[in-house]
Amino acid sequence: MTEHSLWRFSRAMLRAINERQPADLEALIDDDVEWTVYGPVDMFTFLGARRGKAAVLDVCRQIAENVRIHRFDRESIMLGEDSAASMMRYSLTALDSNRPISLRIANFAQFKAGRLRSMRVLIDTFDLIEQALGAPIHLPKIA
Amino acid sequence: MESDSNRQCVLDFLQAFYAGDAAAAMSCCDNDIDTITYAPVDLFPHLGHKHGRAWVAEAIAIQQQRYTIRKHEVTFITAEDDRVAAMTRCALTKRNDGRVVQFVEAAFFTLRDERIAQHRAFFDSFDLVQQILGHDLADEFAISVRGAMER
């Protein structure tokens, strides 16, 4: 049974971020890949949309320069023929501040011939920003 | 196939939810549905952790009080066995000022006997908070966040 593209991609992504070794990842990304991580780009420049392999590798390099992954738990994973969706819980450290960050992330991936063709990532960004600030953001109550 | 019927159940649920058909949406859910939408509950009291399918009607009613038009488009859906994941683009027109708030939601469903028994969802919540409040918070917090990350 052939291994699903998601597993190869996940291992390569982890290596690119934690070991700063992007060669495996480069081989698994389509030249014309579409990539979007929804979130505030003013605060985290590695969020936002990218197009093309070079841009995606560059943003992965930026992520590697900012965080280290300590642990991840797969809360839910669904594998389609050329697609995958996952909800993951990550424990990270912000490298500059050594601040721990715990994130829940949804990934929606599409592959073509074993290479990543599209990636959409959603994060509970309000929670992320409160953790980065180290303090709660006070909001008005709406009944 | 089980995954095909579960996929259709989730599509039917989303269609009924955004059409405001509470009875149809509830009929897609198990009586004991467990749901968590990760979002600040001060602004979104119908989200957070809820139990029981009465939540569905309450969530629809709250959204209908706040928004005159609620549209959705499923942009990605995949199913495997008893689980379904969907990415949905939503556009809600605010009742008080007519502005449209837009967001993309990730939702993960677990089904039991072809009904939704567990629902987990989240979205770019900071962006949606800004849209609901009607002003940009990014400038206010950007310097603090960058500073905190570098401390």
Side-chain angles (χ1 to χ4, degrees):
Chain A
M1 198 170 151
T2 311
E3 184 184 42
H4 195 279
S5 301
L6 178 70
W7 305 127
R8 282 194 297 276
F9 180 80
S10 298
R11 285 196 301 272
M13 188 67 167
L14 188 62
R15 191 153 189 248
I17 291 174
N18 277 3
E19 299 172 29
R20 301 196 187 188
Q21 297 290 332
D24 293 349
L25 187 65
E26 185 174 358
L28 297 174
I29 296 177
D30 188 273
D31 288 342
D32 203 26
V33 62
E34 292 179 16
W35 173 282
T36 303
V37 185
Y38 296 90
V41 295
D42 293 345
M43 298 181 195
F44 306 99
T45 54
F46 47 87
L47 304 182
R50 304 289 191 280
R51 180 80 185 250
K53 183 191 280 195
V56 169
L57 288 172
D58 186 57
V59 83
C60 291
R61 179 188 55 75
Q62 289 180 45
I63 294 169
E65 289 171 354
N66 280 276
V67 300
R68 178 174 176 80
I69 298 169
H70 285 288
R71 178 191 164 104
F72 59 92
D73 297 307
R74 300 181 178 110
E75 296 187 334
S76 186
I77 291 193
M78 275 139 276
L79 302 177
E81 191 175 346
D82 286 314
S83 64
S86 63
M87 182 165 64
M88 312 281 287
R89 186 85 187 165
Y90 281 91
S91 297
L92 313 171
T93 300
L95 293 178
D96 285 346
S97 63
N98 213 28
R99 188 186 289 272
I101 293 174
S102 177
L103 276 184
R104 185 170 279 104
I105 295 178
N107 298 286
F108 296 88
Q110 288 183 314
F111 298 92
K112 183 178 161 190
R115 293 183 174 201
L116 184 72
R117 182 72 182 77
S118 167
M119 177 66 94
R120 302 272 183 271
V121 180
L122 280 144
I123 304 168
D124 178 2
T125 46
F126 196 86
D127 181 48
L128 168 64
I129 290 165
E130 286 190 322
Q131 289 187 60
L133 286 169
I137 298 170
H138 297 290
L139 293 172
K141 276 196 186 299
I142 296 181
Chain B
M1 267 176 75
E2 181 191 31
S3 59
D4 289 341
S5 58
N6 288 337
R7 182 179 184 277
Q8 189 58 51
C9 176
V10 166
L11 289 170
D12 291 345
F13 170 76
L14 293 169
Q15 176 63 36
F17 186 90
Y18 285 100
D21 187 342
M26 287 169 71
S27 74
C28 299
C29 298
D30 188 273
N31 282 336
D32 294 324
I33 182 173
D34 182 82
T35 173
I36 304 176
T37 301
Y38 300 94
V41 293
D42 287 342
L43 271 187
F44 308 106
H46 54 299
L47 304 182
H49 192 183
K50 307 285 181 183
H51 202 81
R53 68 177 180 180
W55 158 76
V56 176
E58 289 164 15
I60 290 172
I62 288 175
Q63 284 203 348
Q64 285 177 327
Q65 284 166 16
R66 295 181 177 187
Y67 307 104
T68 53
I69 302 169
R70 301 181 307 128
K71 294 181 178 174
H72 84 292
E73 177 194 2
V74 177
T75 57
F76 186 112
I77 186 162
T78 190
E80 185 180 2
D81 302 329
D82 62 349
R83 289 163 297 131
V84 180
M87 193 164 116
T88 307
R89 188 183 305 280
C90 306
L92 313 177
T93 304
K94 288 177 70 184
R95 189 174 292 281
N96 64 346
D97 59 13
R99 285 188 299 112
V100 178
V101 297
Q102 298 184 71
F103 60 97
V104 175
E105 181 182 76
F108 294 81
F109 303 86
T110 303
L111 290 92
R112 184 168 55 224
D113 298 331
E114 299 185 2
R115 289 188 173 172
I116 298 165
Q118 189 184 75
H119 167 247
R120 299 287 182 265
F122 54 101
F123 44 82
D124 179 357
S125 45
F126 187 76
D127 181 60
L128 186 57
V129 166
Q130 291 183 111
Q131 292 186 58
I132 298 281
L133 296 178
H135 65 265
D136 191 1
L137 298 172
D139 287 347
E140 187 179 334
F141 291 113
I143 294 170
S144 303
V145 167
R146 284 199 294 263
M149 294 288 279
E150 290 167 5
R151 269 201 289 272

